[in-house]
Amino acid sequence: MRVIERSRADATWGFGVVLADGGLQQLAAADPESFSAIEACLHWIPRQVFTVHDEDIPIDKIRSGGAIGRLRLLQILQAACRQAGVALQFETHVSDLDVFDDCDVVVAADGSNSLVRERFAKHFRTATRLLTNRFAWFGANRTFDASHITFKTISGGALCGHYYTYAPDRSTFVMECDAPTWDALGLEEKTDTERRQITQSFFAEELGHADLIENNSIWRRFPAITTARWHHDRFVLIGDALRTAHFSIGSGTRMALEDAIALADALTCGLSRDAAFECYAQTRRAPMEKLARAAEGSFDWYERFSEKLKSRTPGEFALSFLRRTGRISDERMLRDFPTFIAHARASGAAGLPASDGFPAGGQHV
Ligand SMILES: Cc1cc2nc3c(=O)[nH]c(=O)nc-3n(C[C@H](O)[C@H](O)[C@H](O)COP(=O)(O)OP(=O)(O)OC[C@H]3O[C@@H](n4cnc5c(N)ncnc54)[C@H](O)[C@@H]3O)c2cc1C
């Protein structure tokens, strides 16, 4: 068995990723050693804060989990491969699928620009929606005491910073803006470095007046990718090659790990190759569709968020954020988000779920 990777062993793009508890539990059951190694490196995130118009709104943290550097995660997974006798072949760019002619099974884990998916696009029935928001993935040489989502209103639009600490001295900082803001700031004509300088200036206080760190920090539009079919001949798709999960729901890495676990289980339980591929697809389809619906609700909410900011109070804006994936019913909000509800109620937000003693609509004394 071999893994072919175009990059160096110690290269990655981006910074840290969040791994939530659900995905970690599946990993703990499938590969306890890798789980322990990952768990030992996780930087636990104690709370979440949503900031709008300089008002901090606490969002109750309902799931545990933590963040890890992407490079550290890769090193742990590479060590697990070596221990299992898998040959790792780095700095090898695959441009022709003929190199796999001698293989029984080819697992295409080649990311959102998957060559395998593109080569058999008609068969896989791929659909791609390029979102209109722009984002770039940076690092920051400082730590934060919470996971933050901060919205800054600027002339002509708004910016959003998603940031959290993933190592003792390092944080992830994803900068995002919608299309009207991109135009208002004239970012299309700028270089990536100029875009960083312009956008980070609005977060100078949060960044302690330091520069954001770049690592392939290209400003991009997110491709929301889905595929109807999951395998073709000897090729089977997993992770971002199969479908992307918008970064605002922080689940892409978890989904890739869960795909790999389900595929490994199917391939080692005595089925023929094609039956194993089908078994993998059946196991993963329902959770994937559930996540796709949540991701769609989330990225639709983020598209043109500057417009929503104009017409809502901070509490109402935060309320619509919590409802964006359709997963949080009023009942669940009252049960799992008491700090948020108390804060929003105190600030007079309209549209809050009704509860005993409090009418819906945010009346307070
Ligand atoms: C800004 C941002 C923040 C995110 N935050 C989170 C988060 O907090 N939590 C989370 O779970 N997910 C997060 N994600 C999503 C996560 O990064 C992806 O879902 C995850 O990396 C997918 O893993 P993958 O292995 O499928 O693809 P990738 O990580 O893209 O890996 C694909 C690999 O294939 C290699 N490759 C590609 N083509 C070839 C070729 N032709 N030949 C040889 N090698 C090739 C690439 O070099 C790469 O190493 C985030 C994504 C973004 C953009």
Side-chain angles (χ1 to χ4, degrees):
M1 196 183 293
R2 69 185 195 269
V3 170
I4 303 179
E5 166 59 51
R6 66 183 166 197
S7 301
R8 293 193 325 262
D10 62 350
T12 185
W13 58 286
F15 291 86
V17 286
V18 174
L19 295 175
D21 50 1
L24 292 175
Q25 277 160 23
Q26 285 204 30
L27 183 65
D31 181 353
E33 274 183 39
S34 299
F35 168 75
S36 299
I38 290 171
E39 194 187 27
C41 299
L42 278 183
H43 187 93
W44 297 95
I45 298 175
R47 58 196 191 96
Q48 295 180 78
V49 178
F50 192 84
T51 305
V52 194
H53 302 318
D54 293 328
E55 181 176 332
D56 287 347
I57 302 171
I59 305 274
D60 304 69
K61 199 162 184 305
I62 48 164
R63 289 186 304 173
S64 59
I68 185 170
R70 275 176 63 98
L71 186 55
R72 189 74 203 99
L73 180 62
L74 278 183
Q75 288 164 342
I76 291 168
L77 297 176
Q78 286 169 13
C81 284
R82 288 195 185 95
Q83 210 180 353
V86 177
L88 300 175
Q89 193 177 327
F90 292 100
E91 299 180 67
T92 310
H93 185 104
V94 176
S95 51
D96 188 341
L97 298 183
D98 291 353
V99 295
F100 299 118
D101 278 355
D102 62 337
C103 300
D104 297 321
V105 170
V106 180
V107 180
D110 51 349
S112 57
N113 292 319
S114 169
L115 173 73
V116 173
R117 196 191 62 232
E118 286 311 307
R119 192 57 54 86
F120 304 114
K122 272 196 188 141
H123 174 85
F124 286 125
R125 288 201 265 129
T126 306
T128 304
R129 176 178 157 197
L130 200 56
L131 304 185
T132 62
N133 280 12
R134 309 299 207 284
F135 73 94
W137 196 344
F138 299 104
N141 268 339
R142 58 156 303 175
T143 57
F144 299 99
D145 60 356
S147 163
H148 291 266
I149 303 177
T150 300
F151 294 86
K152 300 267 179 184
T153 304
I154 57 164
S155 168
L159 290 163
C160 175
H162 313 243
Y163 48 102
Y164 55 83
T165 297
Y166 68 86
D169 56 353
R170 205 31 98 79
S171 297
T172 280
F173 197 112
V174 179
M175 189 77 82
E176 182 173 9
C177 76
D178 57 14
T181 308
W182 181 262
D183 293 340
L185 287 173
L187 294 177
E188 187 63 34
E189 292 75 38
K190 307 286 183 195
T191 64
D192 278 326
T193 301
E194 289 168 334
R195 290 167 184 158
R196 171 181 57 73
Q197 288 164 342
I198 292 167
T199 53
Q200 76 181 17
S201 69
F202 295 99
F203 288 86
E205 209 174 305
E206 289 81 356
L207 292 169
H209 299 274
D211 283 346
L212 285 168
I213 309 160
E214 296 185 21
N215 176 20
N216 286 324
S217 303
I218 302 155
W219 283 81
R220 297 190 289 140
R221 291 165 64 186
F222 189 88
I225 297 169
T226 55
T227 49
R229 292 195 186 138
W230 298 42
H231 58 93
H232 174 61
D233 187 39
R234 73 193 67 183
F235 298 93
V236 58
L237 303 175
I238 69 168
D240 276 14
L242 176 65
R243 52 71 258 278
T244 53
H246 191 250
F247 55 85
S248 63
I249 58 165
S251 297
T253 307
R254 174 172 69 86
M255 292 299 277
L257 288 170
E258 289 177 5
D259 290 344
I261 292 167
L263 180 60
D265 284 349
L267 285 168
T268 52
C269 70
L271 295 169
S272 68
R273 182 190 70 194
D274 288 352
F277 284 175
E278 261 315 297
C279 172
Y280 153 67
Q282 274 174 26
T283 309
R284 293 294 295 145
R285 199 174 288 280
M288 201 198 78
E289 285 173 357
K290 196 170 150 204
L291 188 99
R293 280 193 297 277
E296 198 174 340
S298 187
F299 63 61
D300 275 342
W301 184 89
Y302 273 98
E303 296 272 276
R304 304 180 76 87
F305 59 77
S306 58
E307 233 173 65
K308 295 188 193 82
L309 267 174
K310 284 186 207 147
S311 56
R312 295 174 199 189
T313 66
E316 288 158 8
F317 186 71
L319 184 64
S320 74
F321 167 81
L322 276 180
R323 286 180 169 145
R324 74 196 189 289
T325 62
R327 281 180 168 187
I328 300 179
S329 63
D330 283 1
E331 197 183 31
R332 187 171 162 209
M333 198 176 301
L334 288 166
R335 188 189 63 223
D336 293 340
F337 295 86
T339 320
F340 165 73
I341 292 282
H343 184 101
R345 194 169 275 144
S347 72
L352 286 169
S355 68
D356 285 354
F358 293 102
Q363 292 293 320
H364 69 292
V365 286

